Amino acid sequence: MATAPAPLSLSASTLPARLRAGAVPAGARWRQQPRRGRMVVRAKIREIFMPALSSTMTEGKIVSWSAGEGDRVSKGDAVVVVESDKADMDVETFHDGIVAAVLVQAGESAPVGAPIALLAESEEEVPLAVAKAQELSNGNGQPQQAPPAPTEDAAAAPPPPPPAPAAAPAPVAAGTKGIASPHAKKLAKQHRVDLAKVTGTGPYGRITPADIEAAAGIQPKPKPAPAAAAPPPVAAPSVGAVPQAAVLPPVPGATIVPFTTMQAAVSKNMVESLAVPAFRVGYPIVTDKLDALYEKVKPKGVTMTVLLAKATAMALVQHPVVNASCRDGKSFTYNSNINIAVAVAIDGGLITPVLQDADKLDIYLLSQNWKDLVKKARAKQLQPNEYSSGTFTLSNLGMFGVDRFDAILPPGQGAIMAVGASKPTVVADKDGFFSVKSKMLVNVTADHRIVYGADLAAFLQTFAKIIEDPESLTL
């Protein structure tokens, strides 16, 4: 009585040399089919990839590995902590298995989508996973050899004349005689030059006007060369000037500290903001009644930041264009929600936790939400929707005694408001009587493609009325 052959499991040590050389992919298991007698390869090794933790993230840094090599993990277990451009986040595995090989160690970075570890389904596949890790490490060296090819092209691109004559003469004379540009043909006719006897030095052996002039014994004009060299500096105006300005010679005795992932993201966003046509409008606001309200609600955990965010949201309800944004350069994007992002300085960077639906929540619930957001921000544990969903940004330096400053417009938003300190100021009323009142200055930076001066002025007037009569903030 014939029996079906038992499944055959091959480890790296029992595979034939021919298969170990690369005929079988690492992490594969052979199973013999009873009917046809063929071997079927089933992969049992999976890659853990660097995830995209935010829409602006291009690479991530490994903070620490929660699971080490040899540890068995289950689906949903956190295996690694990754530092994105905004926060540190736990990354979970989608499969059960054993962490067979760590490809990116703690403290190292990898681009989004790159493998950072290998997960084996069973102990039998661990040696194969280690072999695959070695192959990947060897493979990482090959792409690094690929860039020299484009580098040579890039190096050859700026001075096209030198490489062309070096490679062109031999093949050109054989099969491209007589191929000339229209201008070259015209010059050849004028100077009675036989095109069949001219060796072209242009692309693919094309005969250029310079070749005709050389064959006719005409000395090249000195002026065209500078004219050809002049356009490159003119053609690269301000676009290339920004990156070049960042590359400066080192200062003797200085210490160079690379940007963290968050600092690099902030730098990138600030440079992108330079492309937006922004303008600024300032407005003085009396804060006596707001200060009195703050003293009443402060014992209940309400901060001045929350009061300002609530007042801003209430004003934006009446001026939706200031809550809008321009994302494609040719249209308005009106946001259905009013989410106030508030700039917070943290160790090693800056982040903007978002008070979502600030116009719909009371100041007490907003204060609780704000407390939780700040705690997460300090621990770098904010989720992407908690820092990337803002529609308007608030930056407050009043607690440091700063009386006024300008804020840089965040990418993807229409406006940002900079709030200064409230200070005693001598004020004259309409009857000419003087008094001392507390005043603060706010400056709003806005995208002039969608927000105009009158729009911003009207918004600031509404905001000032709410601040100067803040009872509506407690409703």
Side-chain angles (χ1 to χ4, degrees):
M1 181 177 178
T3 59
L8 178 62
S9 176
L10 301 179
S11 63
S13 59
T14 59
L15 285 174
R18 176 174 60 83
L19 299 181
R20 291 199 305 269
V24 181
R29 171 174 291 183
W30 289 87
R31 292 190 184 274
Q32 187 174 359
Q33 291 184 349
R35 295 184 179 178
R36 298 185 181 179
R38 294 189 307 174
M39 294 295 188
V40 181
V41 179
R42 295 184 180 179
K44 294 297 181 181
I45 297 175
R46 297 182 174 91
E47 295 176 333
I48 299 177
F49 297 100
M50 175 64 71
L53 302 179
S54 70
S55 58
T56 59
M57 178 178 171
T58 58
E59 70 173 10
K61 180 180 179 181
I62 303 297
V63 177
S64 62
W65 282 94
S66 307
E69 292 183 350
D71 292 349
R72 183 175 291 277
V73 295
S74 300
K75 180 180 178 180
D77 288 350
V79 294
V80 64
V81 180
V82 174
E83 177 189 11
S84 70
D85 53 359
K86 298 293 185 181
D88 294 351
M89 299 185 65
D90 291 327
V91 177
E92 301 176 351
T93 177
F94 295 100
H95 305 281
D96 300 339
I98 300 172
V99 180
V102 173
L103 305 178
V104 183
Q105 302 296 328
E108 298 179 354
S109 299
V112 170
I116 57 177
L118 296 180
L119 194 68
E121 187 177 77
S122 66
E123 294 182 359
E124 296 176 356
E125 282 77 28
V126 171
L128 298 179
V130 174
K132 183 176 181 180
Q134 294 176 352
E135 292 178 5
L136 289 174
S137 62
N138 294 335
N140 288 340
Q142 294 175 355
Q144 293 177 359
Q145 296 174 359
T151 303
E152 292 175 0
D153 296 340
V172 168
T176 56
K177 292 181 180 180
I179 300 177
S181 65
H183 188 201
K185 290 181 180 179
K186 183 178 180 181
L187 288 177
K189 185 176 181 180
Q190 292 177 353
H191 298 289
R192 298 180 180 180
V193 175
D194 186 359
L195 291 174
K197 297 180 180 180
V198 179
T199 300
T201 62
Y204 304 101
R206 190 178 183 86
I207 298 174
T208 65
D211 298 330
I212 301 299
E213 292 177 349
I218 301 174
Q219 295 294 332
K221 298 180 181 180
K223 294 182 180 180
V234 177
S238 58
V239 176
V242 175
Q244 291 176 1
V247 181
L248 299 174
V251 178
T255 302
I256 298 177
V257 179
F259 281 163
T260 63
T261 307
M262 180 178 293
Q263 291 167 341
V266 172
S267 175
K268 177 178 177 292
N269 290 339
M270 295 303 96
V271 172
E272 289 180 357
S273 296
L274 298 177
V276 178
F279 74 108
R280 297 161 183 83
V281 175
Y283 204 95
I285 303 175
V286 176
T287 62
D288 290 318
K289 293 184 178 180
L290 179 68
D291 295 338
L293 174 62
Y294 173 61
E295 293 300 325
K296 291 180 181 179
V297 297
K298 183 178 179 181
K300 300 179 181 179
V302 179
T303 64
M304 180 61 74
T305 297
V306 168
L307 291 177
L308 293 172
K310 179 65 175 178
T312 301
M314 293 175 63
L316 289 174
V317 171
Q318 303 181 43
H319 305 277
V321 70
V322 185
N323 192 53
S325 61
C326 180
R327 297 182 178 273
D328 56 6
K330 54 185 179 182
S331 64
F332 291 77
T333 299
Y334 285 95
N335 299 297
S336 57
N337 294 15
I338 296 179
N339 300 334
I340 306 299
V342 183
V344 174
I346 61 176
D347 186 21
L350 176 73
I351 197 167
T352 53
V354 178
L355 286 169
Q356 300 183 7
D357 295 324
D359 59 315
K360 301 174 183 177
L361 304 180
D362 60 54
I363 58 175
Y364 304 104
L365 185 54
L366 282 176
S367 296
Q368 184 59 48
N369 292 349
W370 180 242
K371 182 180 178 180
D372 295 340
L373 288 171
V374 171
K375 184 178 180 181
K376 286 184 178 181
R378 306 277 186 211
K380 302 182 70 175
Q381 294 297 322
L382 287 173
Q383 298 298 312
N385 66 306
E386 293 176 327
Y387 59 75
S388 61
S389 57
T391 60
F392 184 98
T393 298
L394 184 66
S395 181
N396 181 16
L397 292 180
M399 68 285 291
F400 298 106
V402 176
D403 58 352
R404 70 181 72 186
F405 68 101
D406 289 331
I408 299 177
L409 185 67
Q413 294 186 19
I416 179 174
M417 182 160 62
V419 181
S422 178
K423 295 183 176 181
T425 306
V426 177
V427 179
D429 59 20
K430 60 181 181 180
D431 297 324
F433 293 99
F434 292 93
S435 62
V436 176
K437 294 184 178 181
S438 295
K439 264 191 176 185
M440 72 176 182
L441 294 175
V442 297
N443 290 331
V444 179
T445 303
D447 185 345
H448 213 322
R449 295 174 298 179
I450 56 173
V451 182
Y452 303 148
D455 300 325
L456 208 52
F459 164 77
L460 285 171
Q461 285 181 339
T462 302
F463 177 74
K465 289 179 180 179
I466 296 173
I467 293 296
E468 292 175 355
D469 187 12
E471 291 303 321
S472 58
L473 296 177
T474 60
L475 300 179

